[in-house]
Amino acid sequence: NADCISGGYCAITNVPWKQFSFLYANISTEGYTHGIIVEYDRKLSGAGRFEYISWFNGNSWIDLENDVAGSTWQHKSFNLPLTASNNPNFAIRFKCDGWYSTATQWCRLDNINIKGITEVWVDDDYCPSCSNDGRRWEYDAFNTIQSAVETSMNGTTIYVNSGIYREPINITCRANLAIVGVDKGNVVNDFNNTYCWNTASYGCSRKAAIRVVSSSNISIQNITFEGGEITGNWGTMFFFWDSDGTIKDNYAYNMSLPDAAGYYNEVMGYLRSPNSAKNVLISGNEFKNPGRSFVCNDYQNCTFINNLIYKTSEDFGYGIELGSLATGAAINNTIYGYDTKAASDSSTSAA
C-alpha cells in the first residue's frame, strides 16, 4: 500500500468528525525482566490526530504521547519503566479521533514493535546514582556479573566492561546466555570465592568459581580469569554439569599447586554430563599453569580447538583428559610443559 511506510501493510483508519477508533493489544511481558522498549512509526493526514498513545501497567494507563499531530512518517521509541517488565497485564493502545468536520482525517501506524532488552552491561564503576554510560541501573546496567546473570532472561548477552571483578558466577537451568568481555586484557575476574558443586553426591566437597548446571548454550568469552585464591584439591575454575556451551578466547591462569605437596586435583575445567550427550567447545583460549587442566567425563563431548595450554611451574597433571564415556576432538592446540613426574609413582604426565 502506497500509504504505508514500506509500501506493504499497515494500520489505517479514517475517522469522522467527533468519532474515534482504537487499536488495542494485551501482550504479556512475563520473562522479560530488564525492561521493555516500545517502537512504532506514525503518520497523520488532514485533521486526524492521535488523542493519546499509552500503555497499561496492570493498574493504570500511562501516556507515551498525547494530542499528536504530524503529516509525515515519524519513528518513535520509548524505554518503559520497570513496571512494564515481567507483567502479564501489559497492554498498549492507540486512540485516533476526528476533531474537525472533514472527511480527510486519517491515522496510520506501521512497524509496531514491543521487545525486551536482550543486551545488558556490567561495569565495576556503575552504581544507582551514577551516569552508567547512559544506561539504566538494574535495567541494563550492573556492577557485578552475577547480578546481571540473575536478572537476565534467556537469550541475553551480558557485556562486561574493563574492570577488576572478584566474584564467582553461578548459572543454573538457563539457556542462551553469553558473558562477553569487551577487552580481554582489562576485564579481569580475580576470584575470591566459589560455589559448591551441589550435584549428584558431591555437595560442598568440591567447589567451582564458574558453575554451570543443567543449562544450554552458555558462552563465556574474552575475559581474563585468575585462580589464585580458589585453587586447591577439587577447586575448579570452569564447572559444566549436564550443560553445553562455549569457552572461547579467554586467558585463565594460576590454578597449579605442587603434586609433591599433596595437590593433584586442582582443575581448570571439569565438564561432565551423566545423563545425556552434551557438547562444550573450548576454543582460542590461553590456559597457563592450569593444574590438572580439563577433565571431561560421562557423556560429555569436548572439542578443543586452537588453545594454548602450558605449565611454567613444577606440577604433575594433564593438558586434556577424556575419561569414562566422554568423547571429543583436539585440533590445532599447543600443549607444553607437562614434564613433571607424579609424586606417587614417578609416572610421566601426559596431555
Side-chain angles (χ1 to χ4, degrees):
N1 190 311
D3 289 324
C4 299
I5 192 170
S6 59
Y9 293 96
C10 61
I12 303 176
T13 183
N14 176 228
V15 186
W17 181 37
K18 293 185 178 180
Q19 295 188 32
F20 59 87
S21 62
F22 271 112
L23 178 63
Y24 168 90
N26 172 234
I27 302 170
S28 172
T29 61
E30 286 183 296
Y32 293 84
T33 56
H34 281 318
I36 299 298
I37 298 172
V38 172
E39 297 179 322
Y40 52 84
D41 295 290
R42 59 166 172 76
K43 179 184 177 181
L44 300 156
S45 61
R49 69 166 183 172
F50 286 109
E51 183 178 348
Y52 52 71
I53 300 170
S54 54
W55 65 279
F56 187 63
N57 64 11
N59 296 305
S60 58
W61 288 96
I62 299 98
D63 286 350
L64 298 174
E65 299 185 274
N66 54 59
D67 198 15
V68 176
S71 59
T72 60
W73 281 107
Q74 296 184 35
H75 179 75
K76 295 295 179 179
S77 180
F78 299 90
N79 285 310
L80 302 190
L82 190 58
T83 50
S85 303
N86 205 30
N87 189 336
N89 298 311
F90 179 87
I92 188 168
R93 67 181 181 181
F94 301 81
K95 182 182 179 182
C96 176
D97 68 3
W99 58 334
Y100 285 115
S101 56
T102 173
T104 57
Q105 301 182 106
W106 295 88
C107 297
R108 295 172 174 84
L109 287 167
D110 208 349
N111 301 321
I112 301 170
N113 188 17
I114 300 168
K115 60 185 180 181
I117 294 174
T118 56
E119 292 184 349
V120 304
W121 296 78
V122 177
D123 192 303
D124 61 348
D125 292 325
Y126 285 173
C127 72
S129 60
C130 299
S131 62
N132 301 332
D133 298 319
R135 302 183 177 97
R136 295 185 296 173
W137 177 248
E138 292 186 342
Y139 280 68
D140 56 354
F142 301 85
N143 59 14
T144 68
I145 299 169
Q146 187 60 33
S147 62
V149 168
E150 290 174 355
T151 57
S152 291
M153 67 178 187
N154 291 339
T156 298
T157 299
I158 300 168
Y159 292 103
V160 185
N161 284 334
S162 296
I164 304 296
Y165 304 88
R166 293 180 58 78
E167 54 172 310
I169 299 168
N170 183 39
I171 301 172
T172 304
C173 298
R174 303 300 303 276
N176 305 316
L177 284 182
I179 301 172
V180 182
V182 300
D183 180 359
K184 178 169 60 180
N186 291 303
V187 178
V188 179
N189 197 336
D190 181 7
F191 300 106
N192 66 356
N193 209 342
T194 55
Y195 287 98
C196 300
W197 279 18
N198 277 336
T199 54
S201 60
Y202 291 117
C204 275
S205 63
R206 302 182 181 187
K207 297 184 178 182
I210 302 172
R211 179 182 182 271
V212 180
V213 175
S214 301
S215 297
S216 62
N217 195 27
I218 306 301
S219 181
I220 301 168
Q221 303 178 37
N222 209 46
I223 298 175
T224 293
F225 295 107
E226 201 272 335
E229 293 183 38
I230 64 155
T231 195
N233 281 322
W234 292 114
T236 308
M237 184 174 289
F238 299 96
F239 174 64
F240 277 59
W241 182 277
D242 199 26
S243 300
D244 54 33
T246 302
I247 301 168
K248 182 180 180 182
D249 296 334
N250 302 288
Y251 173 50
Y253 68 105
N254 199 13
M255 287 294 291
S256 291
L257 292 171
D259 185 43
Y263 295 99
Y264 171 66
N265 289 312
E266 71 275 30
V267 180
M268 177 66 76
Y270 188 89
L271 317 175
R272 184 171 180 178
S273 182
N275 300 313
S276 61
K278 301 291 183 180
N279 302 293
V280 175
L281 171 66
I282 304 98
S283 173
N285 303 281
E286 180 179 350
F287 300 122
K288 178 182 178 181
N289 293 326
R292 195 172 159 188
S293 198
F294 274 82
V295 181
C296 301
N297 272 330
D298 286 346
Y299 298 100
Q300 191 72 54
N301 182 64
C302 299
T303 302
F304 296 84
I305 302 177
N306 296 328
N307 299 287
L308 175 61
I309 306 172
Y310 62 101
K311 289 189 177 184
T312 60
S313 60
E314 296 296 319
D315 179 31
F316 176 81
Y318 302 91
I320 297 172
E321 180 181 347
L322 299 183
S324 61
L325 300 172
T327 58
I331 303 169
N332 201 36
N333 301 283
T334 299
I335 304 173
Y336 68 87
Y338 285 80
D339 52 6
T340 301
K341 294 181 179 181
S344 58
D345 58 6
S346 296
S347 60
T348 303
S349 62

